[in-house]
Every structure is written in structure tokens, then in C-alpha cells.
Amino acid sequence: MRLFVAILLSDEMKAALIEAQNAMYDRGLRGNYSQEENLHLTLAFIGDFPAAEPVLDALETVAFRPFSLSLEGIGHFGDLWWAGLRDSAALNAVARRVRRALAENDIPFDRKRFSPHITLVRKASRDAAGIGIAPAGMDVEAISLMRSDRGKSGMIYTELGRVEADASGKEPL
């Protein structure tokens, strides 16, 4: 199974992202656009791993309180265009805790530096400079273990399990 740990996005956030994608398309940018149901924020990419249970067990050790995310700007890595997120100490802390839990449980993952972004379009045909993104935000109340499968019309992401935030106010370790 191809696995990754992600934050699933609210409808409000997805609507702002789709609006930005539509503006890109209307400006003539062609490429592989992320489908609305696939829009997410990756915390850790695991890749091929034989079972979900050990990963879910590791994620159960990740303590966090609900926190807010807000969209901020559009950028790119080569021909991949993405929506950015306002700097968030809470988001960075959760990503560190997820990655630490995976490492402590000998679950391999991509160790590239965490650079929070939401992929809008891959293999873009041209520049998308000057396109903005509408303000949108959400409260993060869970992290999800996702499976990625190749379908006839692109990738299909399936949630295999989730870990809820601790809303009790208890300070995470």
C-alpha cells in the first residue's frame, strides 16, 4: 500500500482552492489538476508499506490540540503549483510529532524538510504568476492515514483511519 499522513480540508478551504484552480485554467494553464476530493495537506509521505495497523498505532501516540490553518499565497516547485499556508507553530509541531512517531516505530517516510503546501496542479504548461487565493481557513481536529491508489482517471485517496485532537486542553508532550 502507498500511504501518507494528511490533514483533510474543510469545504470552505476546498472552495477557495478550486476557485484558484479555475483562475489558473481560465488563464490558459494546462496540466494535471488535483481533483477536489484529493485536496489535502501532507504531513508525512510513507510510500509503500505492507500494513496500515502499525502506522495507525504510531499515530495514536501523537498528541495535539485543535489548531487553525489559513491559506496564504500561491507558489511553485518547478512545474508544480501549490497553495501556501500561513506560518503556524502548531502545524509545524504536529508534523514534527507525526514524523517522530513514525521514526520511533521504524516506519520509513520521506525525510525531506516539511514544507506545508496543497498541490493545485502538476506538470503545469506555463507560469501562474499573479493569481491569488481567496482567504479561507479551518480548524484542524484530526490527522488521517491515507492510502493512494492509481485509478483510471488519476489517483484515488482513501482514509484508512484518523487520530482526533485532544480538545481537553491537556498539554501535548
Side-chain angles (χ1 to χ4, degrees), residues 23-137:
M24 291 173 161
Y25 191 85
D26 290 347
R27 286 236 188 121
L29 190 147
R30 300 299 181 256
N32 297 333
Y33 281 83
S34 296
Q35 297 297 313
E36 182 175 357
E37 63 272 13
N38 286 351
L39 292 168
H40 68 276
L41 171 61
T42 300
L43 297 174
F45 180 76
I46 298 167
D48 291 326
F49 198 73
E53 293 77 17
V55 181
L56 286 169
D57 289 345
L59 293 178
E60 286 291 336
T61 69
V62 177
F64 67 100
R65 289 190 295 241
F67 62 95
S68 296
L69 283 183
S70 297
L71 293 175
E72 185 173 83
I74 291 179
H76 67 97
F77 306 126
D79 64 358
L80 183 147
W81 284 85
W82 46 260
L85 295 155
R86 186 168 296 134
D87 191 37
S88 167
L91 171 60
N92 292 330
V94 168
R96 269 192 316 276
R97 289 182 190 125
V98 164
R99 290 159 175 246
R100 184 179 318 125
L102 295 174
E104 288 173 353
N105 287 278
D106 297 321
I107 298 166
F109 62 95
D110 185 343
R111 293 183 182 260
K112 280 186 216 145
R113 185 178 69 82
F114 179 61
S115 178
H117 66 280
I118 301 162
T119 300
L120 298 174
V121 61
R122 290 177 175 82
K123 298 183 182 175
S125 63
R126 57 185 297 238
D127 197 310
I131 294 175
I133 190 144

